[in-house]
Each structure stands twice: as structure tokens, then as C-alpha cells.
Amino acid sequence: MDHQAKPEVRVLDAADSALPLLLDEVRSVLQARTEGGDGTAGNRPLISLATGGTFTAFFRALDAEVQQGRIAASDFVGTHLDEYMGFEPERPGGMVHELLLRCPALRGMLARGSFFRVPCHGAEGSLRAHEERLARAGGIQLQFLGIGRNAHVAFNEPGASFDNGFHVTTLAESTRADAKARFVPDQPPRRAVTAGLKSILGAERIVLCAFGSGKAEAVRAMLQGEVGSHCPASVLRKHKNVLVLLDPAAASSLDLDAIAGANC
Ligand code: F6R
């Protein structure tokens, strides 16, 4: 019995081959607005970014597109998935700090109020206000996602409820270990503010990338294991418009024949 939606899975020859596809995803939401919109600022699509090594090359590529005028930063509104607890943008190691470093074009958006930061102190009222702000902007049209070794998405660690909105969470030890390098000589934080799985499922389209053999088991569990809170990424099988981009190493534990529509 399988009532779940099937993510589209594409196994690329290498991680870099994802770059033009990711930029096309951005262009396509901007294009849809031009064709269908009334041109008012309220109609700009909202694009939500994931941070981390998986997207470093994409941020640089996006920045180059904006600097060279092929994508206009004024054509969309931006946001992101998560932030370490208490990390303001100027604090190294933080998600917004990383985004601004890799994609300086976002600085202008932040200054103009067209990039919505996740409230990093996690006060309940600020999280609900953030959700309302996203809703007022029309909701997230395009959500980029990475995946953790333990199959977390954003910072929804194994055991996270499928019904959560933005909330404060405690990071798994494997997540902290993977983040260690960005905080040396300090210890990685223990807590973060994150979009919940319900927030993520609210996006119109989701594009998840996973590269490298370290992600292979998480990718298998996401696409071919049981759907459940033990595997947060498996929630994506409840969404009807998901694209998963993998390199061969990240796809190496999958039974590709069993994935209908797998494009290898
Ligand atoms: C970061 C985030 C995380 C990462 C995941 C993979 O905003 O939401 O879920 O996407 O930990 O991280 P990398 O890409 O560094 O392997």
C-alpha cells in the first residue's frame, strides 16, 4: 500500500551539475510571477534558502547571477530555514552570517527588508510573527533543502513532530559534530531555531540536494525507508512537488529501479 506522493529523483553526474538546475528553479518562480502577476511588490515570490556545505557553490552562483544582472534581487523576497540560537548576522558560524558571506547580494535585500531572518532568540511571539510574515508574503514558493547524515531537514532531528511550525530545538550530537569546524576553537551550539516540518511542507515546491557518500544512508531512508518521525526527511513523501538532486555517491544506497520516474 503506497498512498505517498513520489518525489522526482535525479541522479546527476556530479554535484556541480546541480548548479544550472538550481538557478533554473529560481528563474522559473520569477518567470511565473512575470507571467501571472500584477507587478506589485506584494506579488514577489518568496524563496527560502538552506545553508551548509551542500549549497555553498549555489550561493556563489546565485550571487554571480545577481551581480551580472541575470537575476534581479528586487524580483523576489528571501528567507531561510534556521539559525543557531542567539546568533545575530554578524556572528561567525551563524546561518545568516554564512549566507551574507557566500551571497553578498543578500545584504541589500536584508537592508531593504526583503530578506526575512529567522528570529534567532526563539521567543514564541517572534516565531509566530515570523510565520505570519511569511504567510503575508504569499507563503514560500520555492524551498531549498539539504539533509543531515541522520536524515534531519532544517534542524528537525529524528523524533521531530511532523506537525510543528517554527520552534526551538536541541541539536543531535551528530549534527553538532558535523558543524564543529565552523565554530573552532569554540564548541558548536546546542540549540537552534528552525522551520518545522509542517512549515516546510507548506512550500509550493521543494528542491532537496544531497551530495557525497556520507548522505547515502539518509537519502535511502528518506526515499525508501518507512515514513515516520524517526526519519524527518521522509515527510517529503507527503508533498506533491519535490525534486531530489543527488550525485552518484549520495544515490549509492538507493534501489533506483524501484523509484518510479528516477531519471539517471
Ligand atoms: C541548514 C540546514 C541543515 C543542512 C544539513 C546539511 O540550513 O537546514 O538541515 O541542510 O545539515 O548540511 P550540509 O549541507 O553542510 O551537509
Side-chain angles (χ1 to χ4, degrees):
M1 187 178 69
D2 183 10
H3 299 303
Q4 311 288 349
K6 295 228 186 304
E8 179 189 355
V9 179
R10 295 192 60 182
V11 184
L12 309 170
D13 53 353
D16 277 357
S17 304
L19 292 176
L21 302 178
L22 296 172
L23 291 173
D24 280 352
E25 291 286 339
V26 172
R27 284 196 190 92
S28 125
V29 289
L30 302 188
Q31 181 70 22
R33 179 231 178 182
T34 311
E35 284 166 3
D38 59 7
T40 61
N43 199 37
R44 289 179 295 172
L46 175 56
I47 299 177
S48 174
L49 304 170
T51 39
T54 305
F55 285 96
T56 300
F58 168 65
F59 295 144
R60 294 209 177 99
L62 180 61
D63 194 60
E65 292 302 289
V66 174
Q67 305 296 358
Q68 290 161 28
R70 290 190 290 269
I71 288 177
S74 54
D75 279 355
F76 67 97
V77 179
T79 189
H80 63 120
L81 280 170
D82 41 26
E83 185 56 276
Y84 294 109
M85 192 79 164
F87 276 62
E88 298 286 351
E90 59 281 1
R91 188 161 166 195
M95 301 306 195
V96 174
H97 186 269
E98 174 189 327
L99 284 167
L100 298 179
L101 195 69
R102 311 271 185 240
C103 188
L106 296 176
R107 276 182 198 283
M109 293 178 69
L110 192 61
R112 290 192 298 276
S114 57
F115 186 86
F116 303 151
R117 281 170 51 201
V118 170
C120 66
H121 297 288
E124 190 60 23
S126 69
L127 298 183
R128 301 294 76 86
H130 181 63
E131 287 173 344
E132 280 161 25
R133 188 166 55 165
L134 300 181
R136 273 199 310 277
I140 292 169
Q141 297 204 0
L142 176 60
Q143 175 67 66
F144 291 112
L145 278 185
I147 183 170
R149 271 194 293 143
N150 64 357
H152 71 215
V153 283
F155 280 135
N156 294 276
E157 304 287 18
S161 160
F162 283 7
D163 295 321
N164 269 343
F166 277 80
H167 62 284
V168 174
T169 187
T170 299
L171 300 173
E173 279 313 308
S174 67
T175 301
R176 295 186 69 230
D178 289 346
K180 208 171 163 91
R182 59 195 285 158
F183 296 102
V184 166
D186 300 322
Q187 290 302 310
R190 292 185 186 280
R191 296 206 299 160
V193 181
T194 184
L197 296 173
K198 189 171 162 197
S199 335
I200 291 171
L201 284 191
E204 269 182 40
R205 178 161 173 81
I206 298 173
V207 179
L208 180 145
C209 291
F211 308 130
S213 58
K215 301 290 174 73
E217 183 45 35
V219 166
R220 191 207 58 76
M222 165 177 70
L223 294 172
Q224 294 182 316
E226 289 287 313
V227 173
S229 61
H230 65 284
C231 178
S234 67
V235 80
L236 299 181
R237 279 153 61 195
K238 293 178 175 288
H239 193 284
K240 291 192 164 39
N241 191 5
V242 179
L243 172 64
V244 176
L245 298 176
L246 306 172
D247 68 357
S252 59
S253 295
L254 285 176
D255 176 357
L256 288 172
D257 292 335
I259 296 181
N263 182 357
C264 314

